Amino acid sequence: MSSDVSYTTEDIAKLLQISKLTVYDLIKKGELPSYRVGKQMRVDPADLEAYKKRAKGVQIQDRPAQSEAPIRSAAPSQINGLRPIVITGQDLSLDILAKHLEKSNAGIRPLRYFVGSLDSLISMYRGESDIVSTHLLDGDTGEYNLPYIKKLLVGSSYMVVNLLIRNAGFYVQKGNPLSIKGWSDLSISGIRLANREKGSGARVLLDEQLRLHGIKASQLAGYDLEQSNHLGVASQVASGLADVGVGIEKAASIVGNVEFLPLTEERYDLVVLKTQSNQTWITSLLHILRSDEFRNELGLISGYDLSRTGEILLET
């Protein structure tokens, strides 16, 4: 095999038939040597083969059952002298945060994993991620994130800190031909929905509002057709393939030919586990979130409310 061939984390996941988070976990523990090309992690074929030989005869489990998956408390191994820090979530602010973390901490290597809010928290419960982002609405209390975090991370020592606040609402077609104004309008006969995947914050927001308004998901054409990000939902509406979708304001400005109707302000928070090995970069994380440099950079992006950025919301 040519020496210039290498695998991405996506390639490894497909070859081993495991999740991408499991690949990151192998890298994080030092079991699968890797290096970075730009923003991508790469694995050489020889290192993959060496790992497979070591694992031969041992079943590689992908996402074990919760009862078999306690949070790992041991510090992860270093790779090329750098400790991988897995950051989950899809917002652009997380890419900016990763850049600042790497700049401020010579001993860490931020790795981005694009996954929804609920799956992010589950990955933290399983010890597969270090910084997770979440924007999950609890419809009964009107509270964001904390009810879910308290249930999933029970018994763990963690910190919840605000990253930003942003508008969430509906994407509708230009001119809003169906005169959609609020959640109750999702009961309009024949309305076509562009939906997000299960576990995403937008999907939880939609499902909670359907429950609170007594609207059955089966009434919505397109409910089972899922898009993996806000841009996909906005594009479905802009192209006329859907009448309405739930998402954030930023995507509407990127896609164009779609109107955004703000319905709620959602709190976009970060969760980190408080372990001895994490303490150095947690201190750095808080410093970055509260710094003028970071806030000024986020302030250039429309739609972000930074009034609570860096505020600790819960610490156990």
Side-chain angles (χ1 to χ4, degrees), residues 7-14 20 23-24 27 41-42:
Y7 297 117
T8 65
T9 52
E10 290 88 348
D11 295 333
I12 299 295
K14 291 178 182 178
K20 193 174 173 183
V23 177
Y24 279 138
I27 293 173
M41 298 302 298
R42 292 278 181 168

Side-chain angles (χ1 to χ4, degrees), residues 165-229:
I165 297 169
R166 62 189 188 183
N167 284 326
F170 285 156
Y171 305 123
V172 297
Q173 296 175 13
K174 277 290 187 181
N176 195 5
L178 296 182
S179 299
I180 296 171
K181 297 179 180 178
W183 299 106
S184 61
D185 291 325
L186 293 178
S187 62
I188 295 174
S189 178
I191 195 169
R192 299 170 301 161
L193 175 73
N195 207 357
R196 284 292 305 279
E197 78 281 8
K198 293 178 180 177
S200 67
R203 177 66 169 263
V204 171
L205 174 60
L206 170 68
D207 288 342
E208 284 289 79
Q209 293 297 340
L210 291 179
R211 177 178 67 86
L212 293 173
H213 287 82
I215 301 172
K216 294 181 179 180
S218 58
Q219 294 177 227
L220 297 169
Y223 178 86
D224 295 323
L225 302 178
E226 300 176 347
Q227 302 294 318
S228 62
N229 52 55

